[in-house]
Amino acid sequence: MLCHARFARSALAICLSVSSLVAYAESETTTEGVIFRCAPLELEVVQAEMSDYLLRLGIRSDWVTTTVTTGTQVQFTLATVAHDTNTLSLASQENYGIKNDIVMLPNKKGGLNAVSTVSQKEIVLALFQRGRVTTFEGAACSLATFKDHVGIRQNIVSWAQKLDWGWPNGGSARWNSAYWLKGTPNTAVSPFVALHDAFLQQHAYAIGCYTASKLVIAHAVSDYYRRIKRDPGLTRLVEQRLLSDGEPLVDIEPGKMWSFEADFEAAELNREGKLLHLQEKVAPTNFVPGDWAYFLNTDAKSYQQTGYEGSNAIYLGGNKFDDYYNDNHHHYTYHEKMEEVYQWRHGVFSRRRDAAKREVMTKNTFERLGKTPEEGGLLLAYRAVPLLFTLETPLQLERGVRESITKE
């Protein structure tokens, strides 16, 4: 019965200063894995600290290929066979010995619950895998920033892995009016208390998966710096970005993420996301826990039905994608997610009610659907991933209003 869509967005977007963040470098070459670029002495420190960090995570040195270039760049790549870009099966490969981590999440009573979630070990191995490149340079060229990135990804998964929000089914979204007014936090409460309430009192909310994805990202990133890292400077930087336009759920992701839409406006192309950046040209089966991916419904007829334009999905690790509405035991596998979107063209909007309408899926069908829409598939070739924030970046934000698209 589930539908997934990108819901309404504000008519105004705040153009934030690029200097307030350190973005990923995209690669036009075959460089893959994780790259650090910095001065020779800094590079030596990164290598030594990375060696200790991997040892603590239980990642053996022979699993990783380390390549130093010109004394100012070191590259870490998973030592898998050539052309292997798949991360979906990492957790099931016995040689890696991947097990979940236990983290603490706040509960309704003000205490903490122990929660089993994706391991930092799996996140690091997925980042090292071929199929994409993640670059840490400038102020971000440090193991501390890398560890923050891993921690944020783990926190995104922790908050996304067990949700039970309501689905508006084409109607208006429902928000807890004690904290929200139609997706905007009430002025009488802290925006971060409002964000937190959406996870503590899930029954009070009915939202689409686009809004759900933004809630997860906004809450997890701010929660990481406020509660887990307890870093006042970076907490303030993230808060300033979220609140720069008074709408913490607007423009979380960069405008370019929706450039495939027929009514996309060119003015949005260069708009930075408040908390996310796009990693482009990512291999089809390459997902890092904490990624926000998009499965596009390429069927012209069912695409016109509100809520069924496509599916926003956060990767949880272990071949699992989030299930915001607990329609499938809190997660979908990669094949289940693709099949869900594909079967909409056959009128399958409920797995139980519409089961007779399902088209039988074959191995060849799944292989085709895993390609980009241009190649006959459903999966867009980019992932929205957390930005890198550092203490060296300025806390002041340059304000400038530019026109943005509005989706009703």
Side-chain angles (χ1 to χ4, degrees), residues 117-363:
T117 194
V118 68
S119 66
Q120 294 195 8
K121 181 179 185 178
E122 181 178 352
I123 295 172
V124 172
L125 290 175
L127 285 167
F128 285 173
Q129 176 64 302
R130 297 177 177 89
R132 72 167 80 187
V133 60
T134 305
T135 302
F136 295 76
E137 56 189 343
C141 187
S142 70
L143 189 72
T145 305
F146 178 78
K147 291 170 67 175
D148 280 346
H149 183 65
V150 173
I152 287 171
R153 284 183 173 276
Q154 185 179 58
N155 207 39
I156 289 171
V157 173
S158 299
W159 287 109
Q161 67 186 13
K162 196 171 184 180
L163 295 170
D164 197 6
W165 285 319
W167 167 247
N169 198 26
S172 299
R174 184 175 74 251
W175 299 81
N176 186 347
S177 59
Y179 297 89
W180 297 86
L181 177 62
K182 296 181 178 180
T184 300
N186 293 337
T187 56
V189 300
S190 163
F192 306 100
V193 171
L195 285 170
H196 195 51
D197 181 74
F199 295 82
L200 296 184
Q201 302 193 77
Q202 296 175 29
H203 65 280
Y205 296 80
I207 53 179
C209 72
Y210 174 53
T211 298
S213 299
K214 296 189 294 180
L215 269 173
V216 169
I217 298 298
H219 181 252
V221 174
S222 58
D223 176 63
Y224 175 80
Y225 286 116
R226 289 166 64 90
R227 179 180 63 89
I228 299 175
K229 188 176 176 66
R230 298 186 179 183
D231 188 311
L234 292 177
T235 297
R236 191 159 61 251
L237 174 60
V238 170
E239 291 180 357
Q240 285 182 328
R241 293 186 69 81
L242 281 173
L243 299 176
S244 59
D245 55 0
E247 298 284 355
L249 293 184
V250 171
D251 296 335
I252 296 293
E253 80 287 10
K256 190 177 181 180
M257 186 168 180
W258 311 110
S259 59
F260 63 88
E261 294 184 329
D263 58 353
F264 181 78
E265 295 187 4
E268 279 284 280
L269 192 61
N270 295 319
R271 177 183 58 73
E272 296 285 346
K274 292 176 180 176
L275 300 181
L276 298 172
H277 177 75
L278 288 190
Q279 278 191 315
E280 302 185 66
K281 300 181 181 180
V282 178
T285 55
N286 186 291
F287 298 90
V288 178
D291 277 354
W292 174 357
Y294 193 76
F295 296 81
L296 177 65
N297 180 7
T298 56
D299 175 60
K301 183 178 179 180
S302 56
Y303 179 89
Q304 299 303 318
Q305 185 169 342
T306 300
Y308 294 89
E309 299 92 338
S311 179
N312 295 282
I314 291 177
Y315 183 56
L316 306 177
N319 191 20
K320 296 178 181 179
F321 292 82
D322 66 295
D323 175 11
Y324 294 123
Y325 314 106
N326 192 21
D327 190 57
N328 196 52
H329 308 293
H330 292 299
H331 74 267
Y332 294 87
T333 67
Y334 178 60
H335 282 177
E336 287 173 339
K337 175 54 64 176
M338 287 195 296
E339 181 177 4
E340 180 198 25
V341 176
Y342 178 73
Q343 296 290 359
W344 292 341
R345 68 194 60 201
H346 302 300
V348 182
F349 302 116
S350 167
R351 284 173 173 248
R352 293 178 293 274
R353 185 187 66 239
D354 303 322
K357 301 177 183 179
R358 290 180 63 253
E359 176 184 304
V360 176
M361 306 290 285
T362 67
K363 180 181 179 181

Side-chain angles (χ1 to χ4, degrees), residues 284 367-379 381:
E367 288 179 354
R368 174 172 60 83
L369 296 182
K371 297 179 180 179
T372 65
E374 293 81 7
E375 299 170 315
L378 306 178
L379 180 61

Side-chain angles (χ1 to χ4, degrees), residues 2-20:
L2 292 187
C3 328
H4 300 264
R6 182 165 67 100
F7 271 22
R9 306 176 67 209
S10 170
L12 293 179
I14 298 299
C15 178
L16 302 178
S17 170
V18 177
S19 65
S20 64

